[in-house]
Amino acid sequence: MRASVSRVLGALAGLLLGAAAAQGTPPPAIPPEAHRSGFDQMAPETRPMQADDSANPGMLWVRDGADLFARAPSPGSLPCAGCHAESAMRGVAARYPAFDEATGRPVDLEGRIDLCRTRHQGATALPREGHDLLALTAYLANLSRGLPLSPPDDPRLAPARAEGRRLFATPMGQLGFSCAACHDRQWGRRLGAATIPQGHPTGYPLYRLEWQDLGSLERRLRNCLTGMRAEPFTPGSAEAVALALYLAERAAPLPVESPGVRP
């Protein structure tokens, strides 16, 4: 994957040379009426894989997540379903990242799951990008499928939103690219056989054909940063959550699609 992203970004360097002088100027924001999901930009033969639950590989994780939600993590502890009715969880994933009062910081959905495990279930935190955490996240995200992304209008999130916006617009790494240089300035253009998407997080966790696996938004960000020759964010770090929060705000009110499928 690293080599693949590096090749893509190397080719993108040529595409961006003509815009190099404009790198210091923030690209115009994409107006809401022009928002496009990555699903809309996929090849027609790939879209049915996401649209049909019987053909969508990500549904395997959703089913595992439903089982984990209903099962206690250890004897004598409560399952997630012991506190949260499935019907009450519809829409929850669309509202993350959110502010956690106990820690005084924003957390993403994966972080909330682990906080619930450690605080209320007497269980250990699940490893980031591990099967069980991906499965629980995919299950909860799937319960919000079709609902608009709606990050909380919480003033306590303002510093994280600002930091996420800064990270999105700041050139990083040895190649000096920013997220905005591709996904605001160049979206819709062709890069080899691929169309550059707007970079909205509507489908995560999603199944990438290139990965042959389900992965989180954090994994995708890590791949991009590595390809840019930048230091990836530490999993669950303040920087990763801030960027995820800004991306959710930037994408709203596009609907949740998880589990998405992408090339």
Side-chain angles (χ1 to χ4, degrees), residues 118-139:
T118 56
R119 288 174 181 169
H120 307 302
Q121 294 180 302
T124 57
L126 295 169
R128 291 267 174 165
E129 228 57 44
H131 177 86
D132 286 1
L133 186 56
L134 282 170
L136 280 165
T137 308
Y139 167 68

Side-chain angles (χ1 to χ4, degrees), residues 121-208:
Q121 294 180 302
T124 57
L126 295 169
R128 291 267 174 165
E129 228 57 44
H131 177 86
D132 286 1
L133 186 56
L134 282 170
L136 280 165
T137 308
Y139 167 68
L140 294 175
N142 185 249
L143 291 177
S144 295
R145 187 167 61 177
L147 297 179
L149 283 170
S150 50
D153 184 17
D154 186 336
R156 296 173 297 181
L157 293 172
R161 284 196 190 95
E163 175 65 2
R165 186 180 298 109
R166 184 192 70 79
L167 289 168
F168 187 82
T170 301
M172 290 185 274
Q174 294 176 343
L175 299 182
F177 291 162
S178 67
C179 308
C182 291
H183 300 298
D184 274 355
R185 200 186 299 278
Q186 303 291 344
W187 75 268
R189 298 185 67 177
R190 303 290 294 180
L191 179 60
T195 300
I196 301 173
Q198 293 181 353
H200 297 307
T202 51
Y204 288 92
L206 58 73
Y207 188 92
R208 286 191 71 90

Side-chain angles (χ1 to χ4, degrees), residues 64-72 79-82 84-86 89 136 139-140:
D64 285 349
D67 178 65
L68 289 165
F69 190 82
R71 175 161 40 93
C80 304
H84 307 288
E86 181 182 81
M89 301 307 290
L136 280 165
Y139 167 68
L140 294 175

